[in-house]
Amino acid sequence: MNPETLLQVQNLSIEFGTSSGRLRALRGIDLEVPKGRIMGLVGESGCGKSTLAYSLSGLLAGNGEVSGGAILFDGADVTKMSDKELRDIRGRRVSMIFQDPMTALNPVITIGRQMLDIQYREPGTNAEKRARAARMLERVGIPDAAAQLGSYPHQFSGGMRQRVCIAMALLTKPDLLIADEPTTALDATLEVQIIELLRELQQEMDCAIVFVSHHLGTVAELCDDVTLMYAGEVVERGSVRDVFHNPAHPYTQALLECDPARMKVATRQLPTIPGMLPNLVDVPQGCIFASRCQHVWERCRSAHPHLSKTATVGHRAACHLLDAEGRT
Amino acid sequence: MSVLLEVENLVVRYPAMGRVRAALRRQEREFDAVAGVSFSIEAGQTLGLVGESGSGKSTVARTLMGLKRAGSGSIRFDGRDITRAGAQDYARLRREIAMMWQDPVGSLSPRLTVGSLVTEPLRIHGKTADMAAEAKRLLEMVGLPEHFAGRFPHQLSGGQARRVGVARALALDPRLIIADEPTAGLDMSVQAEVLNLLAEMQGRLGIAILVITHNLNVVRHITDRTAIMYLGRFVETGPTEQIFQAPRHPYTGALLSANPEPDPDAARARITLTGEMPSPRNRPSGCEFHGRCLRAQPQCSATVPEFSSAGDQHAFTCHFLVRNGAG
Amino acid sequence: MGDVATTYKQPSALCIYARQLAQNPMGLMGAILVLIIVGIAVFGPWLAPYDPNQIMIGPRMGPPSAAHWLGTDHLGRDLLSRVIAGGRIAMLVAFVTLGAAMTVGLALGLIAGYGPKWLDNILLLVFDAIRSFPVIVFGLAVVTLIGPSLYTVILVVAITSIPIYARIVRTQTQTLRNAEFILAEKAMGAGTLRILAVHVLPNVLGPLLILASMDVPMVIATEAGLSFLGMGVRPPAPSWGTILNDGYNFIRNSPWPVIAGSAPIILVTIGFTFLGEALRDIFDPKLRRAQ
């Protein structure tokens, strides 16, 4: 493994037991997060991006099960860790921020107390930890930070609460921050603020970030690399510039076309992606996007495409068009 | 064309505290969630009402629907004053004004089938028709297959539920549809489907639509005019294309730049506002945006800006005649 | 939406419930027990081998035999026939009582939950006042006033159950009244009655039925308890409570009458409780989503 690689997911598959059968939520996921880079994990609802993000820190819903593959964090397999080992990396080496900052904070405990609690492994006296917490709150832009340590989560507005969550997540200087749609619940003008804050903090602390989002614009702005997911598979990955400028997978192309922010001229007929997500209990053979793809040909229905190289280094897409010999 | 809906100086108030507490503290008991907005919609036209949470945009919708009383000002629909309309008058109005709600699934009664949901407005208004045929007609209109009539709301995806919402709104051939966040919670590709559907329905049936949203991109392709709302007031109104091409108010500029295009190399004239929207219970002095404005001058906190015209029914409330993005 | 051409056949709601019940072993067991008990109660007169009040010439306090499957009591009456007849009374009390309590509770709960605040406050006060009496003490008080009878039992249990149902309905109604789909109906011009009947009622009925199912054993136990104390069903009419009471006096001579009186109470409790819990899992439409 490349020493610069912090997180490597190899052929990961996750299944959920449901009443109608085993739902194959993630299938053969491969991805890599180098140290100190920001990777965007993008896809529409039902693509499995949140499931993947949660599994990175060993958090899976009760009916979920890793059915194959590995998640190597700094060389150690997260899927094989004991609860104790998981607790050791969570919060210290891997932190998370969530979509809803209100549910991520304990409503009956003050911010200061919660920030002390997550430092329980760190050396130093309580006074030092309090000071560190106050500095961190100030850093994320909470006015009058030292006094706010005594406040409860409900005393903050939505945007401020997300700032508090970020402060808590970064307090222990983790190597990896997993951000699950941290700006979706916020208004647009606050979303901008949080994105800028994340970028500044990432540069200061040099941690890697996995940024889960459905919003292409923010991913383009914040991330270095991007991984696109569709129906439980990675369909394309590469640097943000390569992927957004030269999308290689038809799904990526369609998704980018749908983004209304891209359209320079007003139109009454916006592009869409016709069709529906395939059933993941009975996963169709061949390419997972075949039923909605405009460029579908015979091989797409029979053979499952692997992530193939494109013209640029490090940019890969799972599409038969990249290796279209024999296409009629 | 004739003016269908005309709202003048609408004020809607909400109680901030109990009577006793207000008396003890000698404070005003109520605050203005909507603080004097005026707009009009012509028949067959679409108006976008854009604002962030707390701007009062949903309150406007609820007041128009008669679910909330107007504090002052007037609402005229088709020439009739409906500001103080009673339950009787509203019963008739509700055939002509339909509403699409924010939560696509949550606004559908969970134990009714899609078939009865789309014909519910007909039943409420005592229309005797062949309900099965009506359900079929309405579902076809919004592009849902006929067999969906037997499904329950929880069996629908967000986009499908949204289509059912559109069908319900269309059931009584209304003249005005109020769409509150029509694309909330939908994926990008589905969002476009819903917007296309609304545009198509309007083109075909000539309905006037009031679109309420926090996302400027949503209004661009389906509205003729747009109003930007901040803290219960309009800060900029005008033809949609003009607002997109040449926004005048700094807040409009910030909103526009907050929805960046997915291009890492795009020139980013990003306007990042500091702070958050103040509470309408405690309004700032002067221009209410001055605390967050990048161009704020001393006069902004002292004097309230009047509406300035930027030509062709394009107006904004800022002391400075700012140009697009400059600043 | 270009829905793929899958013809989706909509299974009826009842069919789904039945299938889910069959998949839940506890629920299935409960359902079978309840069916058997209700069946025996309904067809009792045809099933019972003897007249429950007929005094036999045979042995008194006799153990189970081919002629008397559960034995005979201290007067020589056939215990099986008495248990079956007692079951009829128990079921009658349960269904009449819970039916009345549910209907009145539903109406009051809807009024409290959807009506004006002052009415809600008054109703809550009444509910709390009734609930503050222990059921048995309240029952004894009523019995001393109007005398012991089957109808007294029904009246007492119904009155004390109403507040429980009404409170459940009220809470459900209150959460529903601000739901977006109710607002949507209002905006379309639906009247209060229509909103309550078409949109609120179906959503509160589920929890109510589950609660009622779990309450059946409670009602039967109360009836048996009052009868045991001699405050309920008058002898010689057989009630599980009176069978128990008769057997209790002669427990040193024979355990069979006590067993015959208590076993059905235990079976009813198990049956209805299991069924109720299974229904609770099934009735929530959101849990049915996996379909």
Side-chain angles (χ1 to χ4, degrees), chain A residues 70-230:
Chain A
I71 301 169
L72 301 177
F73 178 76
D74 223 0
D77 189 349
V78 174
T79 62
K80 303 218 162 43
M81 283 185 186
S82 67
D83 284 354
K84 186 181 173 304
E85 288 169 310
L86 278 174
R87 278 199 302 274
D88 281 343
I89 65 160
R90 275 184 214 145
R92 212 147 60 132
R93 304 206 55 201
V94 182
S95 289
M96 276 193 90
I97 48 179
F98 300 90
Q99 180 172 346
D100 184 350
M102 192 60 203
T103 50
L105 295 167
N106 188 332
V108 295
I109 300 177
T110 62
I111 298 294
R113 183 74 240 166
Q114 295 187 51
M115 293 187 78
L116 272 188
D117 287 347
I118 51 169
Q119 298 182 68
Y120 75 105
R121 283 202 184 84
E122 310 287 310
T125 62
N126 266 1
E128 282 166 20
K129 291 178 182 174
R130 274 190 88 80
R132 203 179 300 151
R135 268 203 308 281
M136 197 68 215
L137 281 185
E138 202 177 325
R139 179 62 200 85
V140 297
I142 305 277
D144 198 12
Q148 297 289 4
L149 284 175
S151 307
Y152 289 90
H154 68 88
Q155 291 170 302
F156 293 91
S157 67
M160 285 296 160
R161 247 180 250 143
Q162 196 58 285
R163 285 172 191 267
V164 170
C165 287
I166 293 174
M168 287 176 68
L170 295 178
L171 198 54
T172 51
K173 300 206 163 41
D175 300 315
L176 176 66
L177 176 68
I178 300 168
D180 184 24
E181 307 240 13
T183 58
T184 305
L186 300 177
D187 276 321
T189 54
L190 299 180
E191 176 173 27
V192 179
Q193 295 175 2
I194 297 291
I195 294 295
E196 298 214 332
L197 177 68
L198 276 178
R199 193 174 36 206
E200 284 168 27
L201 289 170
Q202 191 268 338
Q203 273 158 11
E204 271 173 47
M205 307 189 133
D206 201 32
C207 62
I209 300 182
V210 172
F211 183 78
V212 181
S213 178
H214 65 276
H215 193 170
L216 301 172
T218 40
V219 170
E221 192 173 357
L222 177 70
C223 300
D224 305 310
D225 305 309
V226 62
T227 300
L228 263 117
M229 293 184 65
Y230 176 76

Side-chain angles (χ1 to χ4, degrees), chain B residues 94 103 109 120 125 163 168, chain C residues 1 180 185 187-188 199:
Chain B
R94 288 196 165 111
D103 182 346
S109 196
E120 175 83 2
H125 290 278
R163 279 171 191 262
R168 262 154 82 87
Chain C
M1 206 103 348
E180 204 164 271
E185 295 297 330
M188 273 192 289
H199 303 288

